[in-house]
Structure formats: structure tokens, C-alpha cells
Amino acid sequence: DGGITQSPKYLFRKEGQNVTLSCEQNLNHDAMYWYRQDPGQGLRLIYYSQIVNDFQKGDIAEGYSVSREKKESFPLTVTSAQKNPTAFYLCASSILAGDTGELFFGEGSRLTVL
Amino acid sequence: AQKITQTQPGMFVQEKEAVTLDCTYDTSDPSYGLFWYKQPSSGEMIFLIYQGSYDQQNATEGRYSLNFQKARKSANLVISASQLGDSAMYFCAMSSTTSGTYKYIFGTGTRLKVLA
């Protein structure tokens, strides 16, 4: 079945370490997104990409980096520069059809900094 | 700047009753899309319903309907005949163009609890 796969589901990190969250989709979608969700809050956009080798900063990009070398893959690196990285991270994709496309989400990755 | 506002942090509804979740938005783009998503406690986001800015009629999907009032910039979700399984977080979202690219923004969500 087509969908979005995020891994790992749970991740623990020591302060000062970089970690990379994986996001893979087999929906042939052009656009991919990373969101951060803090407890009891909404989703905030970290980065998004609409074509391979191109991506744009969202509202809270500081301390994060991404790459889009393949259409199917959009990994997110949480760097040591991110001051408060403990959160739930959601990856999503959409057909690049303007404003009519719904987002398809992965199951999320929960990062905890020890 | 684009913005989505959900003013109800939490709502209660009796099983089998209808409930309205509020959403207002702000954008200067003439073309945009409005969405509602459901997030159960397990964390995954489930798409519920979509309304385009040029659609004349309110969207409906089964027990879900979207009360779209363009002049007021509101896009409220109506859930009819609430079920216990409707208990979840509900997010309103908007897609619109920024500098020629589309991105989605979300509100802070409303937690709905359906009472037996």
C-alpha cells in the first residue's frame, strides 16, 4: 500500500548530538513537509520541499536542516543548535496541485532529549 | 500573513448530538484551500474534509460538514450524530501561496470529548 513511513518512532538523544529523522513516501507526491508538534499545541512548519533538490524554510527552521536528493525521501536533521528539540515530529506529503491537495501524514517520530 | 485561529481549546458533546468546532482564517491570497484533520491519541493525522475558496457550496463528507462563510473568513466544522470514536484533537488548516509556492499552516487545535 502507498503511504508515508517515518522512522524511528521513538528516539532519545543526549544534548549536543545531532539526530536524523527519516521520511519516505511511495505516493509519487512532489511536495513534502516537516512539522513539529508540542504537547497540546498545533503543528508548526519546519521545512517544506516541492521539487527535488529544492526546499524552503518554514516558520521554525532554526536548528534544523533537510535535504531532498530523491523525490521519495525528505530526511530531517535536528542539530545541536536546536535549543528545545523534545517534540513530536510529523512528516507529510501532497500532490503538487495547488491548493486543493490534502496532506498525507506519517505516524510521527517522538524525540526526547535527555 | 496567513493565519489560522481556533479559539476553543476543548469541547464536550453528548453522544448522538451535533457539535461545531470553530475556525477563522486570514489570508490575502484569492485562492486557497481549507482543511480539517482529526488526530486521535495515537498521533496520526486523518484528513476529514476540504473546502476550496471558490466553492459555492459547503463541503460535506458523511457526518462531517464545513460551514464556509467567506466574508467572515470562517470555516467551521460540524460533526453530526457524535460518536465516542470522535473524541480526538481536531485541527483546521489552510493551504495558500506564498511567493509562488504552496504551504500549509495549522491552527492550535480543539480537543473534543464525546460523552456517553
Side-chain angles (χ1 to χ4, degrees):
Chain A
D1 283 1
I4 297 182
T5 302
Q6 288 187 242
S7 64
K9 194 167 185 177
Y10 298 96
L11 185 62
F12 297 89
R13 181 193 106 173
K14 292 182 180 179
E15 283 193 26
Q17 288 182 335
N18 292 356
V19 293
T20 297
L21 308 181
S22 171
C23 179
E24 303 278 333
Q25 56 103 353
N26 60 3
L27 299 167
N28 200 33
H29 286 174
D30 289 305
M32 297 187 74
Y33 308 78
W34 273 106
Y35 290 91
R36 170 181 171 139
Q37 185 177 24
D38 293 287
Q41 297 189 30
L43 279 66
R44 292 185 290 169
L45 182 63
I46 305 172
Y47 269 98
Y48 63 106
S49 167
Q50 298 204 313
I51 56 172
V52 174
N53 292 323
D54 186 56
F55 46 83
Q56 309 292 330
K57 291 183 179 180
D59 301 316
I60 56 165
E62 185 175 352
Y64 300 97
S65 66
V66 294
S67 63
R68 188 87 187 275
E69 297 176 0
K70 299 185 300 181
K71 187 176 184 178
E72 304 79 20
S73 179
F74 192 41
L76 173 74
T77 297
V78 184
T79 75
S80 57
Q82 170 49 237
K83 299 304 179 188
N84 185 21
T86 295
F88 187 54
Y89 292 88
L90 283 160
C91 179
S93 70
S94 69
I95 298 170
L96 190 58
D99 56 7
T100 61
E102 74 201 64
L103 289 177
F104 292 77
F105 284 87
E107 294 187 338
S109 293
R110 192 170 298 279
L111 172 63
T112 302
V113 174
L114 303 173
Chain B
Q2 289 94 347
K3 188 176 181 181
I4 292 279
T5 302
Q6 294 180 254
T7 58
Q8 306 155 311
M11 292 278 288
F12 290 94
V13 64
Q14 205 66 37
E15 194 178 10
K16 300 180 185 177
E17 298 290 315
V19 64
T20 297
L21 306 183
D22 295 340
C23 172
T24 58
Y25 62 92
D26 190 19
T27 181
S28 56
D29 295 321
S31 177
Y32 51 89
L34 296 160
F35 304 79
W36 278 92
Y37 291 85
K38 172 183 178 181
Q39 187 181 41
S41 56
S42 53
E44 80 272 24
M45 297 284 284
I46 302 166
F47 165 74
L48 296 178
I49 196 166
Y50 160 80
Q51 178 86 39
S53 58
Y54 292 116
D55 293 342
Q56 296 294 319
Q57 294 199 337
N58 288 341
T60 60
E61 288 286 347
R63 294 186 299 111
Y64 304 108
S65 60
L66 199 153
N67 185 0
F68 180 46
Q69 298 188 41
K70 195 170 183 176
R72 294 185 177 184
K73 292 190 174 179
S74 74
N76 299 339
L77 176 70
V78 180
I79 304 175
S80 63
S82 296
Q83 302 171 356
L84 296 177
D86 293 334
S87 294
M89 282 288 285
Y90 289 81
F91 292 97
C92 181
M94 177 174 65
S95 67
S96 62
T97 306
T98 302
S99 302
T101 59
Y102 286 92
K103 69 172 184 177
Y104 290 75
I105 58 171
F106 285 77
T108 52
T110 296
R111 184 173 298 280
L112 177 67
K113 176 69 174 175
V114 180
L115 305 173

